[in-house]
PDB file of all heavy atoms in Angstrom:
ATOM      1  N   PHE A   1      10.804   0.918  -5.446  1.00  0.00           N
ATOM      2  CA  PHE A   1      10.934   0.974  -6.938  1.00  0.00           C
ATOM      3  C   PHE A   1       9.833   1.745  -7.477  1.00  0.00           C
ATOM      4  O   PHE A   1       8.801   1.958  -6.879  1.00  0.00           O
ATOM      5  CB  PHE A   1      11.300  -0.247  -7.672  1.00  0.00           C
ATOM      6  CG  PHE A   1      10.429  -1.401  -7.416  1.00  0.00           C
ATOM      7  CD1 PHE A   1       9.231  -1.600  -8.303  1.00  0.00           C
ATOM      8  CD2 PHE A   1      10.544  -2.153  -6.364  1.00  0.00           C
ATOM      9  CE1 PHE A   1       8.412  -2.545  -8.101  1.00  0.00           C
ATOM     10  CE2 PHE A   1       9.633  -3.276  -6.093  1.00  0.00           C
ATOM     11  CZ  PHE A   1       8.610  -3.512  -6.972  1.00  0.00           C
ATOM     12  N   THR A   2       9.736   2.023  -8.781  1.00  0.00           N
ATOM     13  CA  THR A   2       8.759   2.833  -9.442  1.00  0.00           C
ATOM     14  C   THR A   2       8.244   2.053 -10.692  1.00  0.00           C
ATOM     15  O   THR A   2       9.184   1.643 -11.469  1.00  0.00           O
ATOM     16  CB  THR A   2       9.134   4.188  -9.781  1.00  0.00           C
ATOM     17  OG1 THR A   2       9.624   4.874  -8.652  1.00  0.00           O
ATOM     18  CG2 THR A   2       8.005   5.024 -10.443  1.00  0.00           C
ATOM     19  N   ILE A   3       6.974   1.912 -10.831  1.00  0.00           N
ATOM     20  CA  ILE A   3       6.358   1.501 -12.186  1.00  0.00           C
ATOM     21  C   ILE A   3       5.969   2.737 -12.940  1.00  0.00           C
ATOM     22  O   ILE A   3       4.964   3.328 -12.494  1.00  0.00           O
ATOM     23  CB  ILE A   3       5.217   0.457 -11.961  1.00  0.00           C
ATOM     24  CG1 ILE A   3       5.683  -0.695 -11.215  1.00  0.00           C
ATOM     25  CG2 ILE A   3       4.612   0.074 -13.332  1.00  0.00           C
ATOM     26  CD1 ILE A   3       6.683  -1.563 -11.783  1.00  0.00           C
ATOM     27  N   ARG A   4       6.679   3.152 -13.978  1.00  0.00           N
ATOM     28  CA  ARG A   4       6.297   4.262 -14.789  1.00  0.00           C
ATOM     29  C   ARG A   4       5.283   3.729 -15.859  1.00  0.00           C
ATOM     30  O   ARG A   4       5.491   2.707 -16.413  1.00  0.00           O
ATOM     31  CB  ARG A   4       7.504   4.837 -15.389  1.00  0.00           C
ATOM     32  CG  ARG A   4       8.490   5.448 -14.444  1.00  0.00           C
ATOM     33  CD  ARG A   4       9.955   5.618 -15.100  1.00  0.00           C
ATOM     34  NE  ARG A   4       9.812   6.544 -16.326  1.00  0.00           N
ATOM     35  CZ  ARG A   4      10.540   6.364 -17.293  1.00  0.00           C
ATOM     36  NH1 ARG A   4      11.382   5.237 -17.480  1.00  0.00           N
ATOM     37  NH2 ARG A   4      10.470   7.111 -18.353  1.00  0.00           N
ATOM     38  N   ILE A   5       4.208   4.498 -15.999  1.00  0.00           N
ATOM     39  CA  ILE A   5       3.118   4.064 -16.981  1.00  0.00           C
ATOM     40  C   ILE A   5       2.682   5.118 -17.859  1.00  0.00           C
ATOM     41  O   ILE A   5       2.637   6.313 -17.469  1.00  0.00           O
ATOM     42  CB  ILE A   5       1.948   3.353 -16.153  1.00  0.00           C
ATOM     43  CG1 ILE A   5       0.945   2.673 -17.066  1.00  0.00           C
ATOM     44  CG2 ILE A   5       1.298   4.452 -15.275  1.00  0.00           C
ATOM     45  CD1 ILE A   5       0.013   1.854 -16.329  1.00  0.00           C
ATOM     46  N   ASN A   6       2.378   4.785 -19.074  1.00  0.00           N
ATOM     47  CA  ASN A   6       1.884   5.755 -20.021  1.00  0.00           C
ATOM     48  C   ASN A   6       0.973   4.978 -21.000  1.00  0.00           C
ATOM     49  O   ASN A   6       0.761   3.802 -20.847  1.00  0.00           O
ATOM     50  CB  ASN A   6       2.990   6.466 -20.716  1.00  0.00           C
ATOM     51  CG  ASN A   6       2.581   7.665 -21.517  1.00  0.00           C
ATOM     52  OD1 ASN A   6       1.366   8.117 -21.328  1.00  0.00           O
ATOM     53  ND2 ASN A   6       3.475   8.197 -22.476  1.00  0.00           N
ATOM     54  N   ASP A   7       0.427   5.597 -22.010  1.00  0.00           N
ATOM     55  CA  ASP A   7      -0.253   4.935 -23.020  1.00  0.00           C
ATOM     56  C   ASP A   7       0.073   5.518 -24.433  1.00  0.00           C
ATOM     57  O   ASP A   7       0.153   6.759 -24.611  1.00  0.00           O
ATOM     58  CB  ASP A   7      -1.831   5.147 -22.863  1.00  0.00           C
ATOM     59  CG  ASP A   7      -2.611   4.239 -23.623  1.00  0.00           C
ATOM     60  OD1 ASP A   7      -2.581   4.364 -24.925  1.00  0.00           O
ATOM     61  OD2 ASP A   7      -3.367   3.420 -22.952  1.00  0.00           O
ATOM     62  N   ARG A   8       0.308   4.640 -25.450  1.00  0.00           N
ATOM     63  CA  ARG A   8       0.823   5.118 -26.724  1.00  0.00           C
ATOM     64  C   ARG A   8      -0.329   5.976 -27.356  1.00  0.00           C
ATOM     65  O   ARG A   8      -0.031   6.887 -28.109  1.00  0.00           O
ATOM     66  CB  ARG A   8       1.054   3.853 -27.638  1.00  0.00           C
ATOM     67  CG  ARG A   8       2.215   3.025 -27.257  1.00  0.00           C
ATOM     68  CD  ARG A   8       3.538   3.623 -27.598  1.00  0.00           C
ATOM     69  NE  ARG A   8       3.751   3.664 -29.048  1.00  0.00           N
ATOM     70  CZ  ARG A   8       4.908   3.940 -29.591  1.00  0.00           C
ATOM     71  NH1 ARG A   8       6.070   4.149 -28.824  1.00  0.00           N
ATOM     72  NH2 ARG A   8       5.137   3.920 -30.875  1.00  0.00           N
ATOM     73  N   ARG A   9      -1.541   5.746 -26.985  1.00  0.00           N
ATOM     74  CA  ARG A   9      -2.633   6.518 -27.533  1.00  0.00           C
ATOM     75  C   ARG A   9      -2.619   7.959 -26.908  1.00  0.00           C
ATOM     76  O   ARG A   9      -2.932   8.994 -27.652  1.00  0.00           O
ATOM     77  CB  ARG A   9      -4.050   5.905 -27.356  1.00  0.00           C
ATOM     78  CG  ARG A   9      -4.153   4.604 -28.106  1.00  0.00           C
ATOM     79  CD  ARG A   9      -5.273   3.741 -27.615  1.00  0.00           C
ATOM     80  NE  ARG A   9      -4.998   3.300 -26.226  1.00  0.00           N
ATOM     81  CZ  ARG A   9      -5.831   2.410 -25.668  1.00  0.00           C
ATOM     82  NH1 ARG A   9      -6.938   1.955 -26.253  1.00  0.00           N
ATOM     83  NH2 ARG A   9      -5.570   2.066 -24.411  1.00  0.00           N
ATOM     84  N   ILE A  10      -2.099   8.094 -25.799  1.00  0.00           N
ATOM     85  CA  ILE A  10      -1.843   9.456 -25.160  1.00  0.00           C
ATOM     86  C   ILE A  10      -0.805  10.160 -25.817  1.00  0.00           C
ATOM     87  O   ILE A  10      -0.818  11.411 -26.271  1.00  0.00           O
ATOM     88  CB  ILE A  10      -1.698   9.493 -23.734  1.00  0.00           C
ATOM     89  CG1 ILE A  10      -2.979   9.006 -22.974  1.00  0.00           C
ATOM     90  CG2 ILE A  10      -1.166  10.708 -23.064  1.00  0.00           C
ATOM     91  CD1 ILE A  10      -2.844   8.844 -21.487  1.00  0.00           C
ATOM     92  N   LEU A  11       0.284   9.457 -26.188  1.00  0.00           N
ATOM     93  CA  LEU A  11       1.486   9.963 -26.854  1.00  0.00           C
ATOM     94  C   LEU A  11       1.036  10.529 -28.269  1.00  0.00           C
ATOM     95  O   LEU A  11       1.450  11.668 -28.615  1.00  0.00           O
ATOM     96  CB  LEU A  11       2.519   8.921 -27.045  1.00  0.00           C
ATOM     97  CG  LEU A  11       3.493   8.564 -25.914  1.00  0.00           C
ATOM     98  CD1 LEU A  11       4.311   7.403 -26.193  1.00  0.00           C
ATOM     99  CD2 LEU A  11       4.434   9.766 -25.620  1.00  0.00           C
ATOM    100  N   LYS A  12       0.176   9.663 -28.926  1.00  0.00           N
ATOM    101  CA  LYS A  12      -0.209  10.172 -30.246  1.00  0.00           C
ATOM    102  C   LYS A  12      -1.077  11.325 -30.259  1.00  0.00           C
ATOM    103  O   LYS A  12      -1.075  12.306 -31.070  1.00  0.00           O
ATOM    104  CB  LYS A  12      -0.849   8.969 -30.998  1.00  0.00           C
ATOM    105  CG  LYS A  12       0.139   7.852 -31.289  1.00  0.00           C
ATOM    106  CD  LYS A  12      -0.560   6.667 -31.972  1.00  0.00           C
ATOM    107  CE  LYS A  12       0.375   5.571 -32.382  1.00  0.00           C
ATOM    108  NZ  LYS A  12      -0.287   4.476 -33.022  1.00  0.00           N
ATOM    109  N   ALA A  13      -1.999  11.388 -29.230  1.00  0.00           N
ATOM    110  CA  ALA A  13      -3.017  12.459 -29.074  1.00  0.00           C
ATOM    111  C   ALA A  13      -2.211  13.752 -28.778  1.00  0.00           C
ATOM    112  O   ALA A  13      -2.652  14.811 -29.322  1.00  0.00           O
ATOM    113  CB  ALA A  13      -4.013  12.160 -27.957  1.00  0.00           C
ATOM    114  N   MET A  14      -1.166  13.718 -27.905  1.00  0.00           N
ATOM    115  CA  MET A  14      -0.387  14.927 -27.546  1.00  0.00           C
ATOM    116  C   MET A  14       0.363  15.432 -28.856  1.00  0.00           C
ATOM    117  O   MET A  14       0.270  16.590 -28.983  1.00  0.00           O
ATOM    118  CB  MET A  14       0.577  14.456 -26.503  1.00  0.00           C
ATOM    119  CG  MET A  14      -0.031  14.136 -25.156  1.00  0.00           C
ATOM    120  SD  MET A  14       1.155  13.576 -23.913  1.00  0.00           S
ATOM    121  CE  MET A  14       2.009  15.088 -23.419  1.00  0.00           C
ATOM    122  N   ALA A  15       0.803  14.575 -29.676  1.00  0.00           N
ATOM    123  CA  ALA A  15       1.473  14.985 -30.865  1.00  0.00           C
ATOM    124  C   ALA A  15       0.506  15.574 -31.852  1.00  0.00           C
ATOM    125  O   ALA A  15       0.727  16.654 -32.477  1.00  0.00           O
ATOM    126  CB  ALA A  15       2.218  13.808 -31.472  1.00  0.00           C
ATOM    127  N   ALA A  16      -0.678  14.913 -32.022  1.00  0.00           N
ATOM    128  CA  ALA A  16      -1.670  15.359 -32.962  1.00  0.00           C
ATOM    129  C   ALA A  16      -2.282  16.764 -32.508  1.00  0.00           C
ATOM    130  O   ALA A  16      -2.441  17.584 -33.393  1.00  0.00           O
ATOM    131  CB  ALA A  16      -2.728  14.416 -33.012  1.00  0.00           C
ATOM    132  N   SER A  17      -2.472  16.962 -31.283  1.00  0.00           N
ATOM    133  CA  SER A  17      -2.902  18.205 -30.757  1.00  0.00           C
ATOM    134  C   SER A  17      -2.041  19.458 -30.997  1.00  0.00           C
ATOM    135  O   SER A  17      -2.502  20.562 -30.927  1.00  0.00           O
ATOM    136  CB  SER A  17      -3.348  18.112 -29.258  1.00  0.00           C
ATOM    137  OG  SER A  17      -2.190  18.048 -28.494  1.00  0.00           O
ATOM    138  N   CYS A  18      -0.863  19.179 -31.211  1.00  0.00           N
ATOM    139  CA  CYS A  18       0.099  20.207 -31.507  1.00  0.00           C
ATOM    140  C   CYS A  18       0.494  20.351 -32.857  1.00  0.00           C
ATOM    141  O   CYS A  18       1.439  21.176 -33.201  1.00  0.00           O
ATOM    142  CB  CYS A  18       1.533  19.979 -30.631  1.00  0.00           C
ATOM    143  SG  CYS A  18       1.071  19.879 -28.865  1.00  0.00           S
ATOM    144  N   GLY A  19      -0.148  19.625 -33.734  1.00  0.00           N
ATOM    145  CA  GLY A  19       0.009  19.866 -35.119  1.00  0.00           C
ATOM    146  C   GLY A  19       0.969  19.078 -35.865  1.00  0.00           C
ATOM    147  O   GLY A  19       1.330  19.241 -37.042  1.00  0.00           O
ATOM    148  N   PHE A  20       1.693  18.003 -35.161  1.00  0.00           N
ATOM    149  CA  PHE A  20       2.573  17.078 -35.893  1.00  0.00           C
ATOM    150  C   PHE A  20       1.840  16.201 -36.871  1.00  0.00           C
ATOM    151  O   PHE A  20       0.797  15.765 -36.491  1.00  0.00           O
ATOM    152  CB  PHE A  20       3.462  16.396 -34.838  1.00  0.00           C
ATOM    153  CG  PHE A  20       4.311  17.172 -33.937  1.00  0.00           C
ATOM    154  CD1 PHE A  20       4.034  17.455 -32.725  1.00  0.00           C
ATOM    155  CD2 PHE A  20       5.569  17.707 -34.560  1.00  0.00           C
ATOM    156  CE1 PHE A  20       4.850  18.219 -31.885  1.00  0.00           C
ATOM    157  CE2 PHE A  20       6.301  18.497 -33.782  1.00  0.00           C
ATOM    158  CZ  PHE A  20       6.049  18.690 -32.445  1.00  0.00           C
ATOM    159  N   ALA A  21       2.428  15.982 -37.973  1.00  0.00           N
ATOM    160  CA  ALA A  21       1.867  15.065 -38.906  1.00  0.00           C
ATOM    161  C   ALA A  21       2.093  13.610 -38.362  1.00  0.00           C
ATOM    162  O   ALA A  21       3.165  13.318 -37.711  1.00  0.00           O
ATOM    163  CB  ALA A  21       2.527  15.151 -40.352  1.00  0.00           C
ATOM    164  N   GLU A  22       1.159  12.699 -38.733  1.00  0.00           N
ATOM    165  CA  GLU A  22       1.218  11.387 -38.235  1.00  0.00           C
ATOM    166  C   GLU A  22       2.542  10.674 -38.687  1.00  0.00           C
ATOM    167  O   GLU A  22       3.147   9.904 -37.929  1.00  0.00           O
ATOM    168  CB  GLU A  22       0.080  10.536 -38.693  1.00  0.00           C
ATOM    169  CG  GLU A  22      -0.054   9.105 -38.051  1.00  0.00           C
ATOM    170  CD  GLU A  22      -1.402   8.396 -38.314  1.00  0.00           C
ATOM    171  OE1 GLU A  22      -2.269   9.094 -38.858  1.00  0.00           O
ATOM    172  OE2 GLU A  22      -1.472   7.282 -38.007  1.00  0.00           O
ATOM    173  N   ALA A  23       2.995  11.040 -39.827  1.00  0.00           N
ATOM    174  CA  ALA A  23       4.156  10.376 -40.472  1.00  0.00           C
ATOM    175  C   ALA A  23       5.453  10.722 -39.654  1.00  0.00           C
ATOM    176  O   ALA A  23       6.435  10.140 -39.710  1.00  0.00           O
ATOM    177  CB  ALA A  23       4.356  10.848 -41.887  1.00  0.00           C
ATOM    178  N   ASP A  24       5.325  11.857 -38.755  1.00  0.00           N
ATOM    179  CA  ASP A  24       6.444  12.370 -38.029  1.00  0.00           C
ATOM    180  C   ASP A  24       6.425  11.864 -36.534  1.00  0.00           C
ATOM    181  O   ASP A  24       7.276  12.087 -35.795  1.00  0.00           O
ATOM    182  CB  ASP A  24       6.484  13.838 -37.999  1.00  0.00           C
ATOM    183  CG  ASP A  24       6.718  14.443 -39.372  1.00  0.00           C
ATOM    184  OD1 ASP A  24       7.398  13.837 -40.109  1.00  0.00           O
ATOM    185  OD2 ASP A  24       6.333  15.609 -39.582  1.00  0.00           O
ATOM    186  N   TYR A  25       5.458  11.114 -36.185  1.00  0.00           N
ATOM    187  CA  TYR A  25       5.136  10.674 -34.877  1.00  0.00           C
ATOM    188  C   TYR A  25       6.407   9.930 -34.269  1.00  0.00           C
ATOM    189  O   TYR A  25       6.961  10.232 -33.179  1.00  0.00           O
ATOM    190  CB  TYR A  25       3.995   9.823 -34.633  1.00  0.00           C
ATOM    191  CG  TYR A  25       2.583  10.532 -34.791  1.00  0.00           C
ATOM    192  CD1 TYR A  25       1.502   9.844 -34.627  1.00  0.00           C
ATOM    193  CD2 TYR A  25       2.587  11.931 -34.751  1.00  0.00           C
ATOM    194  CE1 TYR A  25       0.201  10.440 -34.695  1.00  0.00           C
ATOM    195  CE2 TYR A  25       1.412  12.616 -34.850  1.00  0.00           C
ATOM    196  CZ  TYR A  25       0.255  11.834 -34.786  1.00  0.00           C
ATOM    197  OH  TYR A  25      -0.951  12.532 -34.877  1.00  0.00           O
ATOM    198  N   ASP A  26       6.923   8.913 -35.082  1.00  0.00           N
ATOM    199  CA  ASP A  26       8.140   8.152 -34.540  1.00  0.00           C
ATOM    200  C   ASP A  26       9.308   8.976 -34.303  1.00  0.00           C
ATOM    201  O   ASP A  26       9.888   8.688 -33.233  1.00  0.00           O
ATOM    202  CB  ASP A  26       8.360   7.044 -35.597  1.00  0.00           C
ATOM    203  CG  ASP A  26       7.363   5.902 -35.496  1.00  0.00           C
ATOM    204  OD1 ASP A  26       6.603   5.824 -34.541  1.00  0.00           O
ATOM    205  OD2 ASP A  26       7.325   4.959 -36.397  1.00  0.00           O
ATOM    206  N   ALA A  27       9.529   9.937 -35.161  1.00  0.00           N
ATOM    207  CA  ALA A  27      10.726  10.805 -35.042  1.00  0.00           C
ATOM    208  C   ALA A  27      10.622  11.670 -33.802  1.00  0.00           C
ATOM    209  O   ALA A  27      11.445  11.954 -33.041  1.00  0.00           O
ATOM    210  CB  ALA A  27      10.939  11.620 -36.181  1.00  0.00           C
ATOM    211  N   VAL A  28       9.311  12.202 -33.516  1.00  0.00           N
ATOM    212  CA  VAL A  28       9.002  12.991 -32.404  1.00  0.00           C
ATOM    213  C   VAL A  28       9.126  12.209 -31.122  1.00  0.00           C
ATOM    214  O   VAL A  28       9.819  12.652 -30.110  1.00  0.00           O
ATOM    215  CB  VAL A  28       7.610  13.675 -32.521  1.00  0.00           C
ATOM    216  CG1 VAL A  28       7.199  14.234 -31.142  1.00  0.00           C
ATOM    217  CG2 VAL A  28       7.608  14.565 -33.649  1.00  0.00           C
ATOM    218  N   PHE A  29       8.655  10.935 -31.191  1.00  0.00           N
ATOM    219  CA  PHE A  29       8.831  10.164 -30.051  1.00  0.00           C
ATOM    220  C   PHE A  29      10.317   9.728 -29.703  1.00  0.00           C
ATOM    221  O   PHE A  29      10.706   9.553 -28.430  1.00  0.00           O
ATOM    222  CB  PHE A  29       7.850   8.810 -30.076  1.00  0.00           C
ATOM    223  CG  PHE A  29       6.480   9.194 -30.276  1.00  0.00           C
ATOM    224  CD1 PHE A  29       5.599   8.177 -30.778  1.00  0.00           C
ATOM    225  CD2 PHE A  29       5.979  10.357 -29.818  1.00  0.00           C
ATOM    226  CE1 PHE A  29       4.278   8.446 -30.951  1.00  0.00           C
ATOM    227  CE2 PHE A  29       4.550  10.617 -29.958  1.00  0.00           C
ATOM    228  CZ  PHE A  29       3.733   9.691 -30.576  1.00  0.00           C
ATOM    229  N   ILE A  30      11.158   9.540 -30.686  1.00  0.00           N
ATOM    230  CA  ILE A  30      12.505   9.178 -30.515  1.00  0.00           C
ATOM    231  C   ILE A  30      13.176  10.335 -29.778  1.00  0.00           C
ATOM    232  O   ILE A  30      14.043  10.100 -28.856  1.00  0.00           O
ATOM    233  CB  ILE A  30      13.215   8.869 -31.870  1.00  0.00           C
ATOM    234  CG1 ILE A  30      12.694   7.491 -32.362  1.00  0.00           C
ATOM    235  CG2 ILE A  30      14.703   8.893 -31.726  1.00  0.00           C
ATOM    236  CD1 ILE A  30      13.071   7.178 -33.832  1.00  0.00           C
ATOM    237  N   ALA A  31      12.831  11.565 -30.152  1.00  0.00           N
ATOM    238  CA  ALA A  31      13.437  12.694 -29.508  1.00  0.00           C
ATOM    239  C   ALA A  31      12.955  12.819 -28.042  1.00  0.00           C
ATOM    240  O   ALA A  31      13.649  13.059 -27.231  1.00  0.00           O
ATOM    241  CB  ALA A  31      13.097  14.049 -30.224  1.00  0.00           C
ATOM    242  N   LEU A  32      11.627  12.625 -27.891  1.00  0.00           N
ATOM    243  CA  LEU A  32      11.024  12.631 -26.584  1.00  0.00           C
ATOM    244  C   LEU A  32      11.628  11.669 -25.605  1.00  0.00           C
ATOM    245  O   LEU A  32      11.847  11.877 -24.388  1.00  0.00           O
ATOM    246  CB  LEU A  32       9.507  12.453 -26.690  1.00  0.00           C
ATOM    247  CG  LEU A  32       8.715  12.414 -25.310  1.00  0.00           C
ATOM    248  CD1 LEU A  32       8.836  13.841 -24.579  1.00  0.00           C
ATOM    249  CD2 LEU A  32       7.246  12.090 -25.525  1.00  0.00           C
TER     250      LEU A  32
END
């Protein structure tokens, strides 16, 4: 089996570096 791992701070940094507004993060993550 596989343990998939990530970090919410990496998710936010990726979104921020691409110009997404913080208010849009949840919507972006739902799509992702």
Side-chain angles (χ1 to χ4, degrees):
F1 55 93
T2 300
I3 302 294
R4 297 161 59 219
I5 189 167
N6 195 12
D7 194 298
R8 293 284 290 194
R9 293 165 293 185
I10 291 177
L11 279 170
K12 292 178 180 179
M14 293 171 76
S17 71
C18 298
F20 292 106
E22 187 172 353
D24 294 332
Y25 286 176
D26 283 347
V28 171
F29 297 159
I30 288 171
L32 178 65

